[in-house]
Amino acid sequence: MKKKNLFSTAALLLAMILFLAACGGDDSDNNTDDGASSDGEDKLEFLQMLTGGTSGTYYPLGGEMATNITEATGIQTDAVSSNASADNVIALQEGDAELAFVQTDVVANAVEGINAFDGNPVDNVLAVGSLYPETIQIVTSADSGIATVEDLAGKTVSVGAPGSGTYINAEQILEVHGMTMDDIDAQNLDFGESTGGIQDGNIDAAFITAGTPTGAVEGLSATVDVSIVSIEQDKIDEMVEKYPYYAEDTIAAGTYGLEEDVTTVAVLAMLAVADSVPEDTVYELTKAIYENASSMAHAKAEFITLDSALDGIGIDVHPGAQKYFDEEGITAE
């Protein structure tokens, strides 16, 4: 009888220990989850930032920005050369990168599922913030005889990769001038290939969408007298009305050795992020970008300000970035 009571007592004690352990385990799990959320324990250790071609603006600017993020947050951030906007959005969509430079118009098209993203809307990419104006430059040599957009008819013209931001810009500019890609001999070249082709005489002109001055065009101007084709005011007005993400822009005299200002249009460069990146991480990198922009040497850094951080954004802002903007009292116009 005594033996039986001992076994019963031991069983009861074991049951109580298991019950208390289970309760303690639940509390521990809950505390861990709360800590990850509030203390940032789920913050990423590495970030890959897709930029653009090495001869454009995204790559050098992205390199400086990545350094600022790494130093300010402790998150190792690497700027990687890429095919720019459209490919960058797809890479974010497919989980191949966390951050990317994109044009505001391209990512808006992606979310809407139109143009290059027809039938394939992107639903997992969010905005960090706007950076600087990206000017659509129709580059040619001064002796090409090309003075207007209509003069491009029948010419060999680089329009960027199919589906890229530059390609779509070229398509829309031709459209408001009553033209299509069929009216030109379209070549799908990157910026460096485009300016090299103009220098060698293999192409007549190139559409280049990038912040000015663009490295590839500066390089061309060192060996060739450069001309940038102006867009007439009525066509600018038509573009802005039809596609609100465009804005009138001016390439100042002296840029590339130009003797006069050139009127054209621009979209905005922005930084986009995969929605899977934790809120704390995006908060920290957003803060790092906008609070350290003045330390960057690139000419476009002066445009990276809190005052314009939400300009032209046509998609949802990541909660981490929004938290930072809310703290700073920044709202969309």
Side-chain angles (χ1 to χ4, degrees), residues 29-83:
D29 287 346
N30 287 337
N31 289 336
T32 298
D33 287 343
D34 289 342
S37 174
S38 61
D39 298 333
E41 290 178 6
D42 58 353
K43 183 176 73 175
L44 299 184
E45 294 182 4
F46 302 97
L47 290 169
Q48 180 166 258
M49 176 192 291
L50 299 180
T51 59
T54 55
S55 57
T57 302
Y58 286 175
Y59 183 72
L61 183 63
E64 289 192 76
M65 192 178 294
T67 298
N68 281 347
I69 294 172
T70 300
E71 292 179 350
T73 69
I75 306 168
Q76 179 59 47
T77 305
D78 298 320
V80 180
S81 177
S82 72
N83 289 327

Side-chain angles (χ1 to χ4, degrees), residues 250-274:
T250 300
I251 303 173
T255 309
Y256 314 131
L258 298 172
E259 294 182 359
E260 298 179 348
D261 290 352
V262 174
T263 56
T264 183
V265 290
V267 289
L268 284 166
M270 63 173 281
L271 198 65
V273 61

